Amino acid sequence: MGEFDLIAKFFTRDSQRNDVLLGVGDDAALINIDAGACLACALATVAAEKAGLPYPEGSAFAQTLARAAFNRLAAQGAAPAWLTLSLTLPKPDAEWLDEFSRALHAAAAGYGATLIGGDTTRGPLSATLIAHGLGFETSGRRLAPAGGDAVFVTGAIGLGLQDKSTADCARQHPLNEVPPRVNAGMAAAPHVSAAVDIRRSLAATLTDLLDPFELGADIEADKLPVVAEAKTLLGRRGGAKLLIETSDDPELCFLVPRERESEFCDDMAKLPDPCTRIGIVTGRRGVRVRNDQER
Ligand code: ADP
Ligand code: MG
């Protein structure tokens, strides 16, 4: 199967959108966008060939990729609309591509997004997905956390404790069930002082976000939403601290000024998945867990 056949078979679909003037098959895609809007772009790369690990499942690989790119876009209050894909494959494996492309198209369709182009090369398996969407217009101006802001987190944490490299490969891994938090990111956008996707850990993410403002956060151990797989850990002394310092979860974290909290909570309550208030921004640098020693 040549590259051209591969693209035609797995990546060319009728556009889901009427604003795509040129899509897969041309030198560049052309999108008709509203000139008054702001275009948000976010990308994620997953490189998966690692010594000693099984070759990743196509569908899990696509889900990991889409979730990462969509969550980054969602943190800016935007939903994915147009996707481009850079794909490096060791060989054109039709079965794998079938699984991968189905899962990718399905993830996109969930938001009315469509793949409009990409590039395919040969080499160790790796993919980069660029997600574009129309942004919330004040997104760029809203990174202004302040002491007293409430800290919220989507979903639950703890799945990211396991070895992420094997998680990325496994069809059965519970991470595959975690949806991108696009709806939460969009609903949160008008209310938040900051929104970020969790990178490395919740504590590292909050530290990176708050330290430049000479702020920190107090997290309440008994408020932390934790996946069933990590519940026993939470019961142990120091367990909550370990969770927020080491678990790398595909969730979003929001900071919400006190005066916006009730509206924020009303909007979040309309969504199927939880968004939980876990603590507060303080004038002391660093991230602390409260009540942990009493467990
Ligand atoms: P080039 O020789 O310019 O690299 P390609 O044969 O790679 O051209 O690409 C042909 C068309 O297929 C282009 O429109 C490109 O955007 C699209 N395409 C290539 N790879 C992908 C992919 N992985 N996903 C979606 N579209 C792709
Ligand atoms: Mg190419």
Side-chain angles (χ1 to χ4, degrees):
M1 186 168 35
E3 190 199 5
F4 215 75
D5 304 326
L6 180 160
I7 293 157
K9 179 149 190 233
F10 298 108
F11 298 115
T12 309
R13 292 283 183 284
D14 285 338
S15 177
Q16 302 249 35
R17 309 179 57 91
N18 57 18
D19 52 10
V20 177
L21 304 177
L22 271 184
V24 172
D26 236 290
D27 284 333
L30 292 179
I31 311 159
N32 192 4
I33 59 164
D34 172 4
C38 79
L39 184 66
C41 306
L43 70 80
T45 298
V46 182
E49 276 205 302
K50 292 193 191 100
L53 286 179
Y55 200 77
E57 300 290 348
S59 56
F61 193 70
Q63 281 161 357
T64 303
L65 186 67
R67 188 172 46 228
F70 292 2
N71 274 350
R72 288 172 187 167
L73 205 58
Q76 288 300 340
W82 310 282
L83 308 177
T84 47
L85 172 71
S86 169
L87 185 61
T88 303
L89 292 170
K91 59 178 192 313
D93 175 340
E95 203 181 316
W96 190 92
L97 277 162
D98 188 50
E99 275 194 17
F100 173 83
S101 60
R102 267 173 211 277
L104 186 69
H105 291 303
Y111 300 99
T114 197
L115 187 66
I116 57 169
D119 196 17
T120 304
T121 51
R122 188 178 285 252
L125 179 65
S126 153
T128 297
L129 184 69
I130 307 185
H132 308 76
L134 294 180
F136 187 71
E137 63 180 312
T138 57
S139 293
R141 278 175 266 145
R142 66 162 203 254
L143 199 73
D149 287 357
V151 182
F152 285 84
V153 70
T154 58
I157 65 166
L159 288 178
L161 278 176
Q162 286 137 37
D163 182 355
K164 283 293 283 290
S165 50
T166 48
D168 286 346
C169 303
R171 196 195 295 271
Q172 305 293 347
H173 198 277
L175 263 177
N176 296 333
E177 305 299 315
V178 181
R181 301 301 184 188
V182 172
N183 296 335
M186 305 249 318
H191 308 297
V192 297
S193 62
V196 280
D197 87 313
I198 293 180
R199 37 194 105 139
R200 303 203 309 283
S201 72
L202 188 56
T205 302
L206 283 170
T207 303
D208 289 347
L209 177 63
L210 294 171
D211 216 52
F213 297 92
E214 301 188 7
L215 297 167
D218 284 348
I219 304 300
E220 292 181 48
D222 55 358
K223 300 279 166 57
L224 275 181
V226 174
V227 294
E229 290 87 339
K231 280 260 156 58
T232 51
L233 177 64
L234 193 64
R236 277 185 230 147
R237 194 188 168 94
K241 186 169 188 291
L242 187 75
L243 265 174
I244 72 159
E245 288 181 356
T246 58
S247 188
D248 186 2
D249 294 290
E251 300 294 347
L252 299 182
C253 179
F254 303 120
L255 304 184
V256 184
R258 195 164 291 163
E259 67 274 14
R260 300 305 298 242
E261 230 183 293
S262 86
E263 277 178 88
F264 172 87
C265 290
D266 289 348
D267 283 349
M268 287 296 145
K270 294 173 192 153
L271 302 177
D273 295 318
C275 182
T276 312
R277 190 187 198 282
I278 58 167
I280 195 159
V281 175
T282 72
R284 214 177 120 211
R285 281 179 153 160
V287 174
R288 292 154 297 274
V289 179
R290 295 207 319 217
N291 302 334
D292 204 29
Q293 54 281 16
E294 284 151 35
R295 298 186 149 264

